[in-house]
Amino acid sequence: MTEAPETFADQLLGFSLPSRHARGRAVRLDGALQEILSAHAYPPAITHLLAEALVITTLVGGLLKDGGEDGDGGQLTMQAQTDGGVVRLLVCDWQGGSLRGYVDFDAERLDALGANPSLTALFGKGYLAVTFDLPKAGGRYQGIVPLEGATLGEAVESYFSQSEQLPTLIRTAVRSGTAGTVAGGLLVQHLAEGEEGRERLHVRLDHPEWEHVAVLAGSTRHDELIDRDLSLEALVWRLFHEEQQVRVEVGAHVSRGCRCSTEHYRAVLSRFPEDEQLAMGDENGVIVVDCAFCSRAFPIDLAPTQG
């Protein structure tokens, strides 16, 4: 039997520890990350922030049950926003392996913060909103938590603890150099047994099963997450090889997924009344739509949309 190829970059890896009622996701972003970052000339601090956010979005998006790779499944959007912060808006979303992200920030104020600004320095009193759109499940729900902690990962851990009551541990790493930027991450969660009349595991952050898994996952080193020569399967095995069983499953391939196009924007504009379309256009009847995600402008000729 031919062994399946190992997973190194731009591919999700899912795993579970049945005896510990735990599940996890691991990912390393490389080529897909370069493509997303290349749309803007971000300074190092923003590059690092967005890379971390994209890793977390991929890890959390990979938990969606109806995500799939057909583009018709669930979508996750993670948005960090502030009122008067250096970073005004950070938004990333995931849909079936398609990943995109963007940061709007005050360049002058960022320069004044120095080389390695903290999360608090960047966001001030901001908040993090995590939105799940699940068309197959017929629902859309959102959780909002303060942007607190040393990293975005800690803020997302708080989201799962407060909004989902799921003990969650997230580790991320980012490195930029001559070979570009590479980022990796690991997410593990403790799941409830959910049997009637029994204690629900996920309401206890000090449950011994979770404490055991969290200690092992927390030992992940920064260099392991971004080592291009270390497969994700090997990383998971290093962490959990002493468990009774470790199940792994290769997930969605990750690629830059900006869904903008002339046809898409034309369809959106067609929903507006004709007089409003005319007001948005220039003297030649053209509306120029800017996509912040991919830094491209789409000129839309109004003529085809008018009766």
Side-chain angles (χ1 to χ4, degrees):
M1 176 181 293
T2 302
E3 293 186 2
E6 291 185 287
T7 306
F8 288 89
D10 298 329
Q11 188 96 34
L12 257 173
L13 184 73
F15 62 92
S16 62
L17 309 173
S19 65
R20 302 289 182 180
H21 301 94
R23 67 176 177 182
R25 299 292 184 271
V27 75
R28 185 177 299 121
L29 299 180
D30 200 340
L33 178 61
Q34 311 294 345
E35 193 172 357
I36 294 171
L37 293 174
S38 68
H40 297 273
Y42 290 121
I46 300 300
T47 293
H48 188 285
L49 177 68
L50 182 55
E52 180 187 11
L54 290 166
V55 165
I56 294 171
T57 300
T58 302
L59 293 171
V60 179
L63 299 173
L64 295 176
K65 292 182 179 179
D66 64 347
E69 292 194 63
D70 56 7
D72 296 325
Q75 178 175 334
L76 167 78
T77 302
M78 188 174 75
Q79 180 173 306
Q81 196 160 356
T82 67
D83 182 7
V86 173
V87 173
R88 294 180 284 252
L89 173 69
L90 181 152
V91 59
C92 301
D93 75 30
W94 161 277
Q95 187 179 46
S98 294
L99 179 68
R100 61 181 181 174
Y102 168 72
V103 182
D104 177 40
F105 63 99
D106 187 320
E108 291 185 5
R109 292 177 60 194
L110 177 67
D111 289 342
L113 294 179
N116 297 298
S118 66
L119 195 68
T120 301
L122 290 172
F123 288 102
K125 294 184 178 180
Y127 68 87
L128 179 74
V130 181
T131 305
F132 293 91
D133 284 294
L134 305 172
K136 294 181 182 178
R140 180 179 187 272
Y141 63 97
Q142 182 182 75
I144 299 177
V145 294
L147 268 171
E148 298 175 344
T151 65
L152 274 177
E154 290 185 15
V156 177
E157 289 174 354
S158 296
Y159 160 77
F160 278 110
S161 176
Q162 297 176 26
S163 299
E164 304 288 332
Q165 292 186 310
L166 282 173
T168 302
L169 182 142
I170 295 173
R171 291 291 181 268
T172 62
V174 180
R175 181 179 65 205
S176 295
T178 56
T181 300
V182 60
L186 178 78
L187 175 151
V188 292
Q189 291 183 325
H190 199 209
L191 303 177
E193 289 180 306
E195 296 179 14
E196 187 175 353
R198 297 186 62 184
E199 177 188 25
R200 298 183 68 195
L201 296 180
H202 67 311
V203 300
R204 283 188 53 190
L205 295 177
D206 63 345
H207 193 286
E209 284 185 359
W210 171 242
E211 289 182 334
H212 176 82
V213 171
V215 167
L216 294 179
S219 69
T220 309
R221 300 196 311 271
H222 185 280
D223 62 289
E224 291 176 313
L225 292 171
I226 53 178
D227 183 351
R228 290 183 168 101
D229 296 322
L230 176 67
S231 74
L232 297 178
E233 288 91 345
L235 173 60
V236 171
W237 179 249
R238 281 185 184 182
L239 295 173
F240 304 112
H241 64 275
E242 293 185 355
E243 297 304 305
Q244 292 180 10
Q245 185 180 29
V246 182
R247 299 175 182 169
V248 297
E249 181 180 4
V250 177
H253 175 72
V254 184
S255 62
R256 185 185 72 86
C258 196
R259 297 179 288 278
C260 58
S261 68
T262 299
E263 292 73 20
H264 169 72
Y265 289 125
R266 192 185 302 282
V268 172
L269 290 170
S270 69
R271 302 169 192 165
F272 290 86
E274 185 174 321
D275 59 337
E276 292 186 23
Q277 293 183 41
L278 292 171
M280 288 185 271
D282 60 17
E283 65 275 9
N284 297 315
V286 175
I287 300 175
V288 179
V289 181
D290 294 315
C291 176
F293 287 103
C294 63
S295 191
R296 293 171 60 196
F298 294 83
I300 311 298
D301 190 343
L302 292 178
T305 67
Q306 297 173 22

